[in-house]
Amino acid sequence: MAVATAHPRLPRWLAPVPNRLEDLGLRLAWLVVAVNLAGTAFGFWYYRYQFVETATVMWPFVPDSPLATLLIALAIAAWKLGYEQPWLTALAFFGNLILGLWTPFTLVVFADQFAAQGIAPAMYAFLFGSHLAMALQALVLYRISDFPPWAIAVALCWYTLDLVVDYFVPVVGEPHHTTLPVARDEPIALGADALGIAGAGATVLTLLALFLAFSTHVYVTRPR
């Protein structure tokens, strides 16, 4: 049976989740897995129209958030079964941190456009809160993995490719990012259009995930 590591001495900026909440989440790991699988199912349903409009070969790049919740469900399940996979945990960390913060970012930046499209306040609040929870659970993964550099490299390669395909080189058809509630060339702020703002947010968050993952590795593995 998997046992979480003791609380490594990480600074609060790197491990902001209270210890008691971390312990509770790890004790209820199978419930966390189930909730993430339910979120994955909902996410694939949410993207159903975008799948129809996207070439089949590019489908892996469409459901960013559902893929992230699937990754963390698999990572935690593997750990609970005694077969923690560092590459899988690193992918889960990157995905849940990036998408868990990117979605609230876009919901705030494009709040007026979402409102104009008639998004229900309950759905808006659900998307905002559930994605923040994704970022929160990512910050607990240091308890089950020390994020070795090679595993971070795997995650960085995938999410860099995802970033490039979503915003810079779509390869097949149009960019494959989550559909925005406004035309992608619509001016938004500081001379940037909607696609540029969304892409800038995703880029910054990818770099943040890289920084936090390496920082976690350094703090968890340093001599005590």
Side-chain angles (χ1 to χ4, degrees):
M1 182 177 180
V3 178
T5 62
H7 293 284
R9 289 177 292 178
L10 269 61
R12 183 55 62 186
W13 61 266
L14 196 52
V17 181
N19 290 350
R20 290 184 179 180
L21 187 56
E22 287 184 358
D23 292 338
L24 178 63
L26 293 172
R27 286 198 301 270
L28 300 176
W30 286 118
L31 177 59
V32 174
V33 169
V35 169
N36 277 280
L37 290 177
T40 298
F42 171 80
F44 276 96
W45 174 83
Y46 186 86
Y47 280 97
R48 64 195 184 282
Y49 298 119
Q50 194 167 342
F51 279 124
V52 173
E53 299 171 355
T54 303
T56 305
V57 69
M58 302 307 294
W59 279 8
F61 298 99
V62 171
D64 290 328
S65 293
L67 179 60
T69 53
L70 177 61
L71 287 169
I72 201 165
L74 294 176
I76 294 174
W79 165 71
K80 283 295 291 182
L81 294 172
Y83 299 99
E84 190 270 326
Q85 302 294 316
W87 62 271
L88 182 58
T89 307
L91 281 168
F93 177 82
F94 270 66
N96 281 265
L97 186 68
I98 294 169
L99 278 307
L101 296 178
W102 181 86
T103 298
F105 166 74
T106 56
L107 286 171
V108 170
V109 171
F110 303 115
D112 292 340
Q113 292 86 351
F114 277 112
Q117 283 193 352
I119 185 172
M123 176 61 76
Y124 186 94
F126 170 74
L127 292 174
F128 198 99
S130 62
H131 282 80
L132 285 181
M134 288 171 59
L136 192 70
Q137 66 183 0
L139 295 172
V140 180
L141 290 177
Y142 77 96
R143 294 284 302 280
I144 69 173
S145 178
D146 62 2
F147 296 119
W150 67 266
I152 295 174
V154 170
L156 180 63
C157 285
W158 169 254
Y159 279 100
T160 298
L161 175 61
D162 183 67
L163 186 66
V164 169
V165 169
D166 275 358
Y167 298 102
F168 303 104
V169 186
V171 180
V172 177
E174 298 295 318
H176 305 289
H177 57 80
T178 301
T179 301
L180 300 173
V182 62
R184 66 174 185 260
D185 59 353
E186 179 75 17
I188 299 297
L190 302 177
D193 58 20
L195 184 64
I197 292 291
T203 301
V204 169
L205 291 172
T206 301
L207 293 174
L208 175 65
L210 175 63
F211 170 72
L212 293 179
F214 264 115
S215 297
T216 298
H217 174 74
V218 169
Y219 274 98
V220 171
T221 61
R222 67 180 179 177
R224 302 191 181 179

